[in-house]
Amino acid sequence: MMQARGSYLGVNHVPVFQLIERLNMRSALFALILMVCGVPAVTAQTFQPILQTYASEIVKPSRKTVGATIDAITASGLPQITFFLEQWSEKNIWQRNDGTFFVATAAGDSLTLTDVDTQATTTAPKSDFKQLKPNGGVRRLIGTALVQFQLLDPDLSRRETAVASIARRPEAAQLAPLLASIGGEVDEALKARKTQLANFMSASFATDTQDRIAAINSLSADTSVEARAVLNQILTTTTGVASLAPEGNIAAILDPMVTPDQSYDALVKAKRALPKQTAGDIKKALEANITVGRIAGFPLAQMDDPLMRKAAYTALAAEGRVPVLITPEVRDAALSSHIFYELYAEPNAQITAAAEVARKSANNRVATAQFADLTLDALSLASIFFLAAIGLAITFGVMGVINMAHGEFIMMGAYTGYVVQLFIPNYTVSIFVALPLAFAVTFVAGVVMERLVVRRLYHRPLETLLATFGISIALQQLAKNVFGTQARPLTSPDWLAGAWIVNDVIQISYIRIAIFILALLFLGLIIYILKRTRLGLEVRAVTQNSGMASSLGINPDRINMMTFGLGSGIAGIAGVAIGLYAKVTSEMGSDYIVQSFMTVVVGGVGNVWGTLAGAAMIGFGQKGIEWLNPSNTLAAQTYMILFVILFIQFRPKGIVALKGRAAGD
Amino acid sequence: MSIRSTLLSTISAGVISVAGSAVLAECATPIKVGVLHSLSGSMAISETTLKDAMLMLIDQQNAKGGLLGCELEAVVVDPASDWPLFAEKARELLTVNKVDVIFGNWTSVSRKSVLPVIEELNGLLFYPVQYEGEESSKNVFYTGAAPNQQAIPATDYFLEELGVEKFALLGTDYVYPRTTNNILESYLKDKGIAAEDIFVNYTPFGQSDWATIVADVVALGEDGKQVGVISTINGDANIGFYKELAAAGISADDIPVIAFSVGEEELSGLDTSNLVGHLAAWNYFQSAESEVNKYFIAAWKAFAGKERVTNDPMEAHFIGFNMWVNAAIEAGTTDVDAVRTAMYGQEHPNLTGGTAVMLPNHHLAKPVLIGEIQADGQFDIIIQTSEVPGDAWTDFLPASAVLKSDWKDLGCGMYNIETETCVQLTSNY
């Protein structure tokens, strides 16, 4: 339940010992202040005056300054602290116009108030009060402060919140309380999570070196983002330059000659060398030293040549009037007399060595996991393309009819799903009703279109293309008129929400798995229909030789009609699936028509396996290009289309090509 | 479209004559107001409601007696999220329908397509949407936010309050996200964020496959730094993006996402229970508390339906339309140049309880609001500043830091303050 997924450390780059020091110093300071101010016995105090002291900070808190206020509140030791902090984090603290703070819940125009000290409840109109809304950063700090109270709270959700707070912002001081709370933890999932988190924190904060190394070694098998974050934090380095090798844990000595100009700039920044002169600097220096039409003995007229300028400058430098010209030789000499190093923030070399090993091993695992995740994404994309294209493959392959309205059949299926969900509020039932209904609706639509339009235009592919294109535009407008132009929601049932999470890197949402299974089902169904049923036999016969089939008693018109209907029906079911994971608008068809045609053409016309191969190639190809260029998805799609165009040049019939007379030409 | 405008004018005429309160007999022809918003295509989910808002505002004005004794008539066209079609429709509005003002556009690419047309024909456009700056046209009044009224304060919030150290800038692939990300990259580098800590990604309009990109964003956190997403994703691509975020279980406490183009309208098509805590930065939210806002929301729900919501571009149209009406009354005419001169210094209450002022650079002073998404699709306002004047030429890009716009005194929208000359009078398209 408490997965490592999506959570990680938000720690600033502060070495461990400084953290511990800082925390100790802060609590010591507060203890001192409390003693000096002579705060009376805790039990006699009320909470409200403390709040009033820090009123301005509580009303308008800022992440950077609220720490002191929270510390003061927790240091007061009053029993109301936990309740107040929790309510403040949930935006339930309201301030009356006289400055008093209350815990309140809104009901219409009035508030039900709870006094922070007496817990007495009253009601009051909302207009006299102002709601306090701390932002996300402040809420995180409040959460961290609450950890010490919530770790042992009898309420499970509070303990989970405490553990989540620690995970977001681990601090050294929290390690001991966390370890102490593991033993008594009754919830198994939370106990596992606490142990995992304690492991991460031991790697960073434990006092004994051997404990830390043991924890680090256990992280080498962990691919979670959190574990890698811990290792990367331990291995943070700072670059520096000095004349002698520095003390401390050196990560690497860098060779400045690899990038001499950058290295020299670093040297200049560290004020260990003079800045390199630009052409402008040289010109200025020369201008400042003109004596009687000459510069250091060189006539002014020669100064249009950059080499002469350099010579003049060098002469001036020899006289001591200007700083020495930084030539490549001077630069290299300066570089070689300094040491460029990377220093670990962590002083203990054993720990950094163990962490390096662990990190390398973790990164290897991560690379493998990323490969697996990419494969899953590619499979999912391929299955979506397959589902969208299989209907087209049937109509195009069997009948040679180019159906530009195919995308609109997908849209019709999606809208059918939306309408079903309007009448059946239970999401699970509505999906199971929507699937066959979408098939039926688009089957009928396909048959109607075939009988009215396509039948008259057989063997005239251009006219079919044009006519179906017109029908697609008409269908889009019809959808707009009936359903409006806004996107309509098609919600998946709860058991399809969320994702299958293997670890932090490999995950895939359940909807995509469902679509993959649906695609496989349809693959099986189509093959079964084509190979095992009478209808399939007749369809194959008509595909191979329509004239011969009709002389054997098969009615090609009826078969064409059924094929068209079948193809459209499958598109309808694909529409429901696509609407669940993407969106339902009147234009969603045009998103898939290009991909469907590409799949069918690349895969090979007239064969289901061809469509499968085409979908696989395009899905994997697109994901591969996206991985190579993660910053521009549109570029990835463009390269994919270019690749398809090239592929068609070399293999015009597609991957799985029909042979013989059935090939049609 | 002409059938629709005739129908509209007949209905309005009927309503007015029934009300019998306004004196409209002096006007030979009604004053035409062009409405140039996409009613279909991938931007329809955002722009359709703006067309409805304009119709409501025009109805309200007609109920008050119209403008300069004339009735107002809305001329609605649908450029269908097709950017060249925006230019054609703008030309049609100005030359065929002869509108006196146009309220329209959402994407910056649509505005850039329309600019050459309105600058050539001296039309007047009120542009209600947040955009990337780098423009100050003589013929456009920008009632939406410039980057210093939205993007920069949002980035500051991420840096200061949420402690974000690594940024993922996700945007749709066109001029607004590209320019905004340039500005933000430059700003972040000035603030000390390293270049490796800024991840940028562009997707086409209508993108629905977000799994890989969301996985990349999560992987950014592997060095322990706090990751935050700044989203300039526009249109219905947001639906797939937020669905994928919810499926991956990314809560706002782990990786906060702040969006610049997602408002109440876009959220109304989503299940927001998994998005609670994610953020948006605008200059207005429906949940803003003010008397004016209460009336506006009530009138809107009565006009359009109980389940409809208000959003920031609607407020921008509200301010822009009322300022235009007041400027026309001051000038005594709807002639573009006269109205333009009367616009400078126009003040009108905004819906968050303050006052909007039209500045000589054709921008408004607007407050910055940052809100968190709630389960009901509304925003919980966390921060509300006082009015910030809009800056057309950002100070964070060296090329535009030297530019300033002042149409009132300098008569130039692109004035170089170092060389003290006007760079050009037309805009960059």
Side-chain angles (χ1 to χ4, degrees), chain A residues 6 8-9 12 62-63 91 133 135 137 139-140 168 228-229 232 485-486 512 582-583 587 623 630-631 633, chain B residues 39 41 44-45 157 160-162 165 200-203 209 212 222 224 226 236 243 254 265 372 380-381:
Chain A
Y8 59 95
L9 304 178
N12 294 325
S62 164
R63 178 185 69 107
K91 307 179 195 167
K133 297 183 196 175
N135 63 44
R139 293 202 296 269
R140 207 183 295 154
R168 269 177 218 127
R228 280 181 280 148
N232 279 318
T485 51
Q486 303 293 78
R512 287 167 178 264
K583 58 191 192 291
E587 259 108 30
K623 279 298 157 185
S631 69
T633 317
Chain B
L39 306 177
I45 77 166
Y157 178 77
E160 313 274 316
E161 294 301 326
L162 298 184
E165 292 151 321
V200 186
N201 171 283
Y202 296 105
T203 42
D209 184 20
T212 321
E222 66 186 4
Q226 169 82 51
D236 52 18
K243 270 192 188 177
D254 298 321
E265 183 68 19
E372 291 183 354
D380 194 13
I381 301 176

Short mmCIF file of all heavy atoms in Angstrom, two decimals, chain A residues 6 8-9 12 62-63 91 133 135 137 139-140 168 228-229 232 485-486 512 582-583 587 623 630-631 633, chain B residues 39 41 44-45 157 160-162 165 200-203 209 212 222 224 226 236 243 254 265 372 380-381:
data_model
loop_
_atom_site.label_atom_id
_atom_site.label_comp_id
_atom_site.label_asym_id
_atom_site.label_seq_id
_atom_site.Cartn_x
_atom_site.Cartn_y
_atom_site.Cartn_z
N GLY A 6 6.89 7.36 -6.70
CA GLY A 6 6.52 8.77 -6.74
C GLY A 6 6.95 9.57 -5.53
O GLY A 6 6.77 10.76 -5.48
N TYR A 8 10.10 10.69 -2.78
CA TYR A 8 11.55 10.75 -2.82
C TYR A 8 11.98 11.77 -1.79
O TYR A 8 11.16 12.35 -1.10
CB TYR A 8 12.00 11.15 -4.23
CG TYR A 8 11.42 12.46 -4.59
CD1 TYR A 8 12.13 13.65 -4.40
CD2 TYR A 8 10.11 12.55 -5.01
CE1 TYR A 8 11.54 14.86 -4.65
CE2 TYR A 8 9.53 13.77 -5.24
CZ TYR A 8 10.26 14.90 -5.07
OH TYR A 8 9.67 16.11 -5.31
N LEU A 9 13.24 12.01 -1.71
CA LEU A 9 13.73 12.92 -0.69
C LEU A 9 13.78 14.33 -1.22
O LEU A 9 14.17 14.58 -2.33
CB LEU A 9 15.15 12.53 -0.26
CG LEU A 9 15.29 11.09 0.24
CD1 LEU A 9 16.74 10.81 0.57
CD2 LEU A 9 14.44 10.88 1.48
N ASN A 12 17.80 19.30 1.12
CA ASN A 12 18.77 20.22 0.55
C ASN A 12 20.16 19.62 0.64
O ASN A 12 20.41 18.69 1.39
CB ASN A 12 18.73 21.55 1.29
CG ASN A 12 17.40 22.23 1.06
OD1 ASN A 12 16.84 22.14 0.00
ND2 ASN A 12 16.88 22.89 2.08
N SER A 62 5.20 31.88 5.36
CA SER A 62 6.06 31.64 4.20
C SER A 62 6.99 30.49 4.57
O SER A 62 7.46 30.40 5.70
CB SER A 62 6.86 32.90 3.89
OG SER A 62 7.93 32.57 3.03
N ARG A 63 7.26 29.63 3.61
CA ARG A 63 8.04 28.43 3.91
C ARG A 63 9.36 28.75 4.57
O ARG A 63 9.85 28.06 5.45
CB ARG A 63 8.29 27.65 2.61
CG ARG A 63 9.14 26.41 2.79
CD ARG A 63 9.43 25.79 1.43
NE ARG A 63 10.32 26.62 0.66
CZ ARG A 63 11.59 26.34 0.42
NH1 ARG A 63 12.13 25.25 0.95
NH2 ARG A 63 12.32 27.14 -0.31
N LYS A 91 -6.37 23.51 6.49
CA LYS A 91 -7.03 24.78 6.22
C LYS A 91 -8.31 24.94 7.04
O LYS A 91 -9.29 25.54 6.58
CB LYS A 91 -7.35 24.95 4.73
CG LYS A 91 -6.14 24.73 3.84
CD LYS A 91 -6.52 24.89 2.38
CE LYS A 91 -5.46 24.32 1.47
NZ LYS A 91 -5.91 24.18 0.10
N LYS A 133 -4.98 29.71 4.88
CA LYS A 133 -4.64 28.65 3.93
C LYS A 133 -3.14 28.58 3.74
O LYS A 133 -2.58 29.28 2.92
CB LYS A 133 -5.29 28.96 2.58
CG LYS A 133 -6.80 28.98 2.64
CD LYS A 133 -7.36 29.22 1.26
CE LYS A 133 -8.79 29.63 1.33
NZ LYS A 133 -9.34 29.99 0.04
N ASN A 135 0.37 27.35 2.29
CA ASN A 135 0.68 26.78 0.98
C ASN A 135 1.39 25.44 1.14
O ASN A 135 1.66 24.98 2.24
CB ASN A 135 1.51 27.75 0.15
CG ASN A 135 2.86 28.03 0.78
OD1 ASN A 135 3.54 27.12 1.24
ND2 ASN A 135 3.26 29.28 0.81
N GLY A 137 4.43 24.33 0.61
CA GLY A 137 5.71 24.28 1.31
C GLY A 137 5.54 24.36 2.82
O GLY A 137 6.17 23.63 3.59
N ARG A 139 2.82 23.51 4.44
CA ARG A 139 2.17 22.28 4.91
C ARG A 139 3.20 21.17 5.10
O ARG A 139 3.09 20.33 6.00
CB ARG A 139 1.09 21.85 3.93
CG ARG A 139 -0.09 22.79 3.86
CD ARG A 139 -1.32 22.08 3.32
NE ARG A 139 -1.14 21.62 1.95
CZ ARG A 139 -1.45 22.33 0.89
NH1 ARG A 139 -1.95 23.54 1.03
NH2 ARG A 139 -1.28 21.85 -0.31
N ARG A 140 4.21 21.17 4.22
CA ARG A 140 5.24 20.15 4.35
C ARG A 140 5.99 20.31 5.66
O ARG A 140 6.27 19.34 6.37
CB ARG A 140 6.21 20.27 3.18
CG ARG A 140 6.88 18.97 2.84
CD ARG A 140 7.87 19.14 1.72
NE ARG A 140 7.24 19.52 0.48
CZ ARG A 140 7.84 20.20 -0.48
NH1 ARG A 140 9.08 20.58 -0.35
NH2 ARG A 140 7.20 20.50 -1.59
N ARG A 168 9.33 12.59 2.60
CA ARG A 168 9.51 13.75 1.73
C ARG A 168 10.67 14.59 2.18
O ARG A 168 11.31 15.25 1.37
CB ARG A 168 8.25 14.60 1.75
CG ARG A 168 7.33 14.18 0.66
CD ARG A 168 6.04 14.91 0.66
NE ARG A 168 5.02 13.97 0.30
CZ ARG A 168 3.93 13.75 0.99
NH1 ARG A 168 3.70 14.42 2.08
NH2 ARG A 168 3.06 12.86 0.59
N ARG A 228 17.86 5.72 -5.10
CA ARG A 228 18.87 6.39 -5.93
C ARG A 228 19.13 7.79 -5.44
O ARG A 228 20.25 8.29 -5.48
CB ARG A 228 18.42 6.41 -7.39
CG ARG A 228 18.66 5.09 -8.10
CD ARG A 228 18.22 5.15 -9.53
NE ARG A 228 16.79 4.99 -9.67
CZ ARG A 228 16.07 5.58 -10.63
NH1 ARG A 228 16.64 6.37 -11.50
NH2 ARG A 228 14.78 5.37 -10.70
N ALA A 229 18.06 8.44 -4.95
CA ALA A 229 18.23 9.79 -4.41
C ALA A 229 19.16 9.77 -3.22
O ALA A 229 20.04 10.63 -3.10
CB ALA A 229 16.87 10.37 -4.03
N ASN A 232 22.66 9.30 -4.49
CA ASN A 232 23.17 10.49 -5.16
C ASN A 232 23.47 11.61 -4.17
O ASN A 232 24.42 12.36 -4.34
CB ASN A 232 22.14 10.99 -6.18
CG ASN A 232 22.23 10.21 -7.48
OD1 ASN A 232 23.31 9.91 -7.94
ND2 ASN A 232 21.09 9.84 -8.03
N THR A 485 -19.47 20.57 -28.64
CA THR A 485 -18.07 20.56 -29.03
C THR A 485 -17.13 20.27 -27.87
O THR A 485 -15.94 20.08 -28.08
CB THR A 485 -17.66 21.92 -29.61
OG1 THR A 485 -18.07 22.92 -28.68
CG2 THR A 485 -18.32 22.15 -30.93
N GLN A 486 -17.65 20.24 -26.64
CA GLN A 486 -16.76 19.98 -25.52
C GLN A 486 -16.41 18.50 -25.46
O GLN A 486 -17.18 17.66 -25.91
CB GLN A 486 -17.43 20.38 -24.21
CG GLN A 486 -17.86 21.83 -24.18
CD GLN A 486 -16.69 22.76 -24.18
OE1 GLN A 486 -16.07 23.01 -25.21
NE2 GLN A 486 -16.36 23.29 -23.03
N ARG A 512 -4.33 0.43 -20.01
CA ARG A 512 -3.53 -0.02 -21.14
C ARG A 512 -3.41 -1.52 -21.16
O ARG A 512 -3.40 -2.15 -22.23
CB ARG A 512 -2.15 0.63 -21.09
CG ARG A 512 -2.22 2.10 -21.45
CD ARG A 512 -0.94 2.81 -21.11
NE ARG A 512 -1.02 4.20 -21.52
CZ ARG A 512 -0.54 4.65 -22.66
NH1 ARG A 512 0.05 3.84 -23.50
NH2 ARG A 512 -0.66 5.93 -22.97
N ALA A 582 -8.11 7.93 -23.47
CA ALA A 582 -7.82 9.26 -24.03
C ALA A 582 -9.04 10.15 -23.80
O ALA A 582 -9.53 10.27 -22.71
CB ALA A 582 -7.45 9.16 -25.49
N LYS A 583 -9.57 10.75 -24.82
CA LYS A 583 -10.70 11.65 -24.65
C LYS A 583 -11.78 11.35 -25.67
O LYS A 583 -11.52 10.71 -26.67
CB LYS A 583 -10.22 13.09 -24.82
CG LYS A 583 -9.58 13.28 -26.19
CD LYS A 583 -8.88 14.61 -26.27
CE LYS A 583 -8.50 14.96 -27.68
NZ LYS A 583 -7.47 14.20 -28.31
N GLU A 587 -13.63 15.09 -32.79
CA GLU A 587 -12.50 14.99 -33.71
C GLU A 587 -11.56 13.85 -33.41
O GLU A 587 -10.51 13.76 -34.03
CB GLU A 587 -11.66 16.26 -33.67
CG GLU A 587 -11.94 17.18 -34.82
CD GLU A 587 -12.68 18.35 -34.33
OE1 GLU A 587 -12.47 18.69 -33.18
OE2 GLU A 587 -13.50 18.92 -35.07
N LYS A 623 8.13 4.55 -30.02
CA LYS A 623 8.66 4.64 -28.66
C LYS A 623 10.18 4.74 -28.69
O LYS A 623 10.78 5.44 -27.88
CB LYS A 623 8.26 3.40 -27.85
CG LYS A 623 6.87 3.49 -27.30
CD LYS A 623 6.73 4.65 -26.35
CE LYS A 623 5.29 5.07 -26.24
NZ LYS A 623 5.08 6.25 -25.45
N PRO A 630 13.70 12.77 -26.10
CA PRO A 630 12.58 12.91 -25.18
C PRO A 630 11.98 14.30 -25.12
O PRO A 630 10.93 14.49 -24.55
CB PRO A 630 13.19 12.54 -23.82
CG PRO A 630 14.63 12.81 -23.97
CD PRO A 630 14.97 12.61 -25.40
N SER A 631 12.63 15.30 -25.73
CA SER A 631 12.12 16.64 -25.51
C SER A 631 11.12 17.08 -26.56
O SER A 631 10.47 18.08 -26.40
CB SER A 631 13.27 17.64 -25.44
OG SER A 631 13.82 17.76 -26.73
N THR A 633 7.99 15.41 -28.75
CA THR A 633 7.20 14.25 -29.17
C THR A 633 6.74 14.39 -30.61
O THR A 633 6.64 13.41 -31.34
CB THR A 633 5.98 14.12 -28.25
OG1 THR A 633 6.38 14.33 -26.91
CG2 THR A 633 5.35 12.77 -28.38
N LEU B 39 -14.96 27.09 -32.06
CA LEU B 39 -16.09 26.35 -31.50
C LEU B 39 -15.95 24.87 -31.81
O LEU B 39 -16.83 24.08 -31.48
CB LEU B 39 -17.40 26.90 -32.08
CG LEU B 39 -17.54 28.40 -31.88
CD1 LEU B 39 -18.81 28.91 -32.54
CD2 LEU B 39 -17.57 28.75 -30.40
N GLY B 41 -12.67 21.66 -32.87
CA GLY B 41 -11.23 21.44 -32.90
C GLY B 41 -10.66 21.29 -31.50
O GLY B 41 -11.40 21.28 -30.52
N ALA B 44 -11.60 23.76 -28.72
CA ALA B 44 -13.01 24.04 -28.45
C ALA B 44 -13.32 23.93 -26.97
O ALA B 44 -14.17 24.66 -26.45
CB ALA B 44 -13.89 23.09 -29.25
N ILE B 45 -12.64 23.00 -26.27
CA ILE B 45 -13.02 22.84 -24.86
C ILE B 45 -12.71 24.10 -24.07
O ILE B 45 -13.29 24.34 -23.02
CB ILE B 45 -12.37 21.61 -24.18
CG1 ILE B 45 -10.89 21.84 -23.83
CG2 ILE B 45 -12.49 20.39 -25.01
CD1 ILE B 45 -10.38 20.78 -22.88
N TYR B 157 6.89 31.31 -6.73
CA TYR B 157 6.20 30.50 -5.73
C TYR B 157 6.83 29.11 -5.64
O TYR B 157 7.07 28.59 -4.55
CB TYR B 157 4.72 30.39 -6.11
CG TYR B 157 3.89 29.53 -5.18
CD1 TYR B 157 3.48 30.00 -3.95
CD2 TYR B 157 3.51 28.25 -5.55
CE1 TYR B 157 2.72 29.22 -3.10
CE2 TYR B 157 2.74 27.47 -4.72
CZ TYR B 157 2.34 27.95 -3.49
OH TYR B 157 1.59 27.16 -2.67
N GLU B 160 10.38 29.68 -3.93
CA GLU B 160 10.41 30.11 -2.54
C GLU B 160 9.58 29.22 -1.63
O GLU B 160 10.05 28.77 -0.61
CB GLU B 160 9.85 31.54 -2.43
CG GLU B 160 10.38 32.51 -3.44
CD GLU B 160 11.67 33.13 -2.97
OE1 GLU B 160 11.71 33.49 -1.80
OE2 GLU B 160 12.62 33.20 -3.76
N GLU B 161 8.32 29.02 -2.01
CA GLU B 161 7.41 28.36 -1.08
C GLU B 161 7.47 26.85 -1.17
O GLU B 161 7.32 26.16 -0.17
CB GLU B 161 5.97 28.83 -1.34
CG GLU B 161 5.75 30.29 -1.03
CD GLU B 161 6.07 30.63 0.42
OE1 GLU B 161 5.84 29.78 1.30
OE2 GLU B 161 6.57 31.74 0.66
N LEU B 162 7.64 26.29 -2.37
CA LEU B 162 7.64 24.84 -2.48
C LEU B 162 9.05 24.28 -2.53
O LEU B 162 9.22 23.07 -2.53
CB LEU B 162 6.85 24.39 -3.72
CG LEU B 162 5.38 24.78 -3.70
CD1 LEU B 162 4.67 24.20 -4.90
CD2 LEU B 162 4.70 24.29 -2.44
N GLU B 165 13.69 22.38 -6.85
CA GLU B 165 15.06 22.55 -7.29
C GLU B 165 15.27 22.07 -8.73
O GLU B 165 16.28 22.39 -9.34
CB GLU B 165 16.01 21.76 -6.38
CG GLU B 165 16.08 22.33 -4.97
CD GLU B 165 16.38 21.26 -3.94
OE1 GLU B 165 15.85 20.14 -4.07
OE2 GLU B 165 17.15 21.54 -3.02
N VAL B 200 12.90 20.11 -20.59
CA VAL B 200 11.86 20.74 -21.41
C VAL B 200 11.29 19.71 -22.36
O VAL B 200 12.01 18.87 -22.90
CB VAL B 200 12.47 21.91 -22.22
CG1 VAL B 200 11.38 22.64 -22.96
CG2 VAL B 200 13.22 22.85 -21.31
N ASN B 201 9.97 19.73 -22.57
CA ASN B 201 9.36 18.81 -23.52
C ASN B 201 8.19 19.48 -24.23
O ASN B 201 7.39 20.17 -23.61
CB ASN B 201 8.87 17.55 -22.79
CG ASN B 201 8.04 16.66 -23.68
OD1 ASN B 201 6.88 16.93 -23.94
ND2 ASN B 201 8.63 15.60 -24.17
N TYR B 202 8.11 19.28 -25.56
CA TYR B 202 7.00 19.85 -26.34
C TYR B 202 6.21 18.72 -26.99
O TYR B 202 6.78 17.78 -27.53
CB TYR B 202 7.54 20.79 -27.42
CG TYR B 202 8.23 21.99 -26.84
CD1 TYR B 202 9.61 22.11 -26.85
CD2 TYR B 202 7.50 23.00 -26.23
CE1 TYR B 202 10.24 23.20 -26.30
CE2 TYR B 202 8.12 24.10 -25.68
CZ TYR B 202 9.49 24.20 -25.71
OH TYR B 202 10.12 25.28 -25.16
N THR B 203 4.88 18.84 -26.93
CA THR B 203 4.02 17.84 -27.55
C THR B 203 3.07 18.52 -28.52
O THR B 203 2.80 19.70 -28.38
CB THR B 203 3.17 17.12 -26.49
OG1 THR B 203 2.70 18.09 -25.55
CG2 THR B 203 3.97 16.08 -25.75
N ASP B 209 -0.91 10.44 -25.60
CA ASP B 209 -0.05 9.38 -25.07
C ASP B 209 0.98 9.98 -24.13
O ASP B 209 2.05 10.40 -24.55
CB ASP B 209 0.62 8.67 -26.25
CG ASP B 209 1.47 7.50 -25.80
OD1 ASP B 209 1.24 7.01 -24.68
OD2 ASP B 209 2.35 7.09 -26.57
N THR B 212 5.08 7.96 -21.36
CA THR B 212 6.54 8.09 -21.36
C THR B 212 6.97 9.41 -20.73
O THR B 212 7.92 9.47 -19.94
CB THR B 212 7.07 8.05 -22.80
OG1 THR B 212 6.33 7.08 -23.52
CG2 THR B 212 8.53 7.71 -22.82
N GLU B 222 15.55 11.43 -9.29
CA GLU B 222 16.45 10.39 -8.82
C GLU B 222 17.69 10.94 -8.15
O GLU B 222 18.43 10.20 -7.54
CB GLU B 222 16.86 9.48 -9.96
CG GLU B 222 17.69 10.19 -11.02
CD GLU B 222 17.96 9.32 -12.21
OE1 GLU B 222 17.45 8.19 -12.24
OE2 GLU B 222 18.68 9.77 -13.10
N GLY B 224 17.45 13.19 -5.82
CA GLY B 224 17.03 13.68 -4.52
C GLY B 224 16.53 15.09 -4.51
O GLY B 224 16.10 15.59 -3.47
N GLN B 226 13.97 18.22 -5.27
CA GLN B 226 12.52 18.37 -5.39
C GLN B 226 12.18 18.75 -6.82
O GLN B 226 12.70 19.72 -7.35
CB GLN B 226 12.06 19.47 -4.42
CG GLN B 226 10.65 19.93 -4.61
CD GLN B 226 9.64 19.02 -3.95
OE1 GLN B 226 9.75 18.69 -2.78
NE2 GLN B 226 8.66 18.59 -4.71
N ASP B 236 -7.20 20.12 -25.30
CA ASP B 236 -7.64 18.84 -24.74
C ASP B 236 -6.49 17.85 -24.51
O ASP B 236 -6.72 16.76 -24.03
CB ASP B 236 -8.75 18.21 -25.59
CG ASP B 236 -8.39 18.13 -27.05
OD1 ASP B 236 -7.20 18.22 -27.37
OD2 ASP B 236 -9.31 17.98 -27.87
N LYS B 243 -5.04 12.60 -16.64
CA LYS B 243 -5.44 11.21 -16.41
C LYS B 243 -4.22 10.35 -16.14
O LYS B 243 -4.23 9.48 -15.26
CB LYS B 243 -6.17 10.66 -17.66
CG LYS B 243 -7.66 10.85 -17.66
CD LYS B 243 -8.32 10.02 -18.76
CE LYS B 243 -9.79 10.37 -18.86
NZ LYS B 243 -10.48 9.68 -19.94
N ASP B 254 4.19 15.31 -3.78
CA ASP B 254 5.45 14.76 -4.27
C ASP B 254 6.01 15.60 -5.41
O ASP B 254 7.14 16.07 -5.34
CB ASP B 254 5.23 13.32 -4.78
CG ASP B 254 4.75 12.42 -3.67
OD1 ASP B 254 5.24 12.57 -2.55
OD2 ASP B 254 3.88 11.59 -3.95
N GLU B 265 -12.92 25.63 -16.52
CA GLU B 265 -13.60 25.06 -17.69
C GLU B 265 -12.95 23.75 -18.13
O GLU B 265 -13.62 22.77 -18.41
CB GLU B 265 -13.57 26.08 -18.83
CG GLU B 265 -14.28 25.66 -20.08
CD GLU B 265 -15.79 25.58 -19.90
OE1 GLU B 265 -16.31 26.19 -18.94
OE2 GLU B 265 -16.43 24.90 -20.70
N GLU B 372 -5.14 26.08 -5.61
CA GLU B 372 -5.00 24.62 -5.61
C GLU B 372 -6.31 23.98 -6.04
O GLU B 372 -7.38 24.41 -5.62
CB GLU B 372 -4.65 24.12 -4.20
CG GLU B 372 -3.26 24.52 -3.75
CD GLU B 372 -2.91 23.96 -2.38
OE1 GLU B 372 -3.80 23.35 -1.75
OE2 GLU B 372 -1.76 24.14 -1.96
N ASP B 380 -8.89 26.53 -4.78
CA ASP B 380 -8.77 27.12 -3.46
C ASP B 380 -7.64 28.14 -3.54
O ASP B 380 -6.49 27.79 -3.77
CB ASP B 380 -8.44 26.01 -2.46
CG ASP B 380 -8.61 26.46 -1.03
OD1 ASP B 380 -9.21 27.52 -0.81
OD2 ASP B 380 -8.13 25.73 -0.14
N ILE B 381 -7.96 29.42 -3.34
CA ILE B 381 -6.95 30.46 -3.57
C ILE B 381 -5.96 30.51 -2.41
O ILE B 381 -6.34 30.73 -1.27
CB ILE B 381 -7.63 31.84 -3.73
CG1 ILE B 381 -8.60 31.77 -4.92
CG2 ILE B 381 -6.59 32.92 -3.96
CD1 ILE B 381 -9.39 33.02 -5.11
#
